[in-house]
Amino acid sequence: MTSPIGNNVLGSINGGGNANLGPRQSQELRESFMTLLITQLQNQDPLNPMENAEMTSQLAQINTVSGIEQLNETLNGITSQIEAGQTLQASALIGQGVLVPGDRVLLDQDEDGNAFTTPFGVELARPAENVRVTIVNGDGQVINRYDLGPVGAGVDSFSWDGKTSDGETAAPGAYRVRIEATQGDESVSVTALNFAMVGGVIPGANGGVKLDLGAVYGQVGLEDIKQIL
């Protein structure tokens, strides 16, 4: 003997329909199930009564609906806590300098004519015997090229002194940095990183948060922050 409401509950679980049930709908489903189960017990054939195992199975089905609802509420609470923690963590970065994937280097001069540049970084998949840095201008012309020597795996930050290959101070402006890493005769996978300032925190469209790095660099996730300077 099979309960129609038991089949409906099982179909709802297998079809995933219960995932979107609200508290009121879930309560109505439980009440309807219990009403029909009691009616079925009252009108069952005395010569062929419902077996204990069948009744237990049907009760387990409605309990499964309740359990999934409670699990969803718990997961929603955990998600909210994670997002709140991410927002707090991201807020602490406002006004901080960070390294994110990119190849931009800015050069400027102070009142005394001394050049200063924004730092850049490299992220290596494995150690390299030598890392070569090439600075190019907006037209792609090489301004300077120099070696950093051996660099370990992971993220490291460096700076360019603003000098050209002739030892002259380069003109203020934006430049690009190209990174090459080698281990013996083999190339090592390397990612160039550029400096940016965190200006604000923006809620993400699908949860989480985004860091606002300004008009040039746009918005990035916390996972894009490779180093805090």
Side-chain angles (χ1 to χ4, degrees), residues 56-98:
T56 301
S57 174
Q58 295 181 19
L59 288 172
Q61 291 172 11
I62 192 62
N63 286 335
T64 298
V65 174
S66 299
I68 292 176
E69 177 187 312
Q70 295 173 2
L71 177 60
N72 286 339
E73 292 178 356
T74 300
L75 290 177
N76 287 335
I78 293 174
T79 300
S80 297
Q81 292 179 1
I82 292 175
E83 291 179 354
Q86 288 181 336
T87 301
L88 182 62
Q89 180 184 6
S91 298
L93 293 175
I94 295 178
Q96 297 288 324
V98 295

Side-chain angles (χ1 to χ4, degrees), residues 69-153:
E69 177 187 312
Q70 295 173 2
L71 177 60
N72 286 339
E73 292 178 356
T74 300
L75 290 177
N76 287 335
I78 293 174
T79 300
S80 297
Q81 292 179 1
I82 292 175
E83 291 179 354
Q86 288 181 336
T87 301
L88 182 62
Q89 180 184 6
S91 298
L93 293 175
I94 295 178
Q96 297 288 324
V98 295
L99 289 180
V100 294
D103 60 359
R104 185 182 176 94
V105 176
L106 300 179
L107 185 152
D108 204 349
Q109 294 181 350
D110 59 22
E111 296 179 354
D112 297 327
N114 299 316
F116 60 92
T117 62
T118 55
F120 67 91
V122 296
E123 183 178 20
L124 293 176
R126 58 191 178 93
E129 287 182 348
N130 187 58
V131 173
R132 170 162 289 190
V133 177
T134 301
I135 306 294
V136 300
N137 62 17
D139 296 327
Q141 297 176 332
V142 175
I143 301 301
N144 201 349
R145 181 181 287 117
Y146 57 95
D147 295 329
L148 296 175
V151 178

Side-chain angles (χ1 to χ4, degrees), residues 35-73:
T35 298
L36 291 177
L37 180 60
I38 292 173
T39 301
Q40 185 178 9
L41 290 173
Q42 291 174 340
N43 296 278
Q44 65 182 331
D45 184 354
L47 300 179
N48 185 25
M50 180 185 295
E51 296 182 0
N52 290 337
E54 183 179 355
M55 184 171 62
T56 301
S57 174
Q58 295 181 19
L59 288 172
Q61 291 172 11
I62 192 62
N63 286 335
T64 298
V65 174
S66 299
I68 292 176
E69 177 187 312
Q70 295 173 2
L71 177 60
N72 286 339
E73 292 178 356

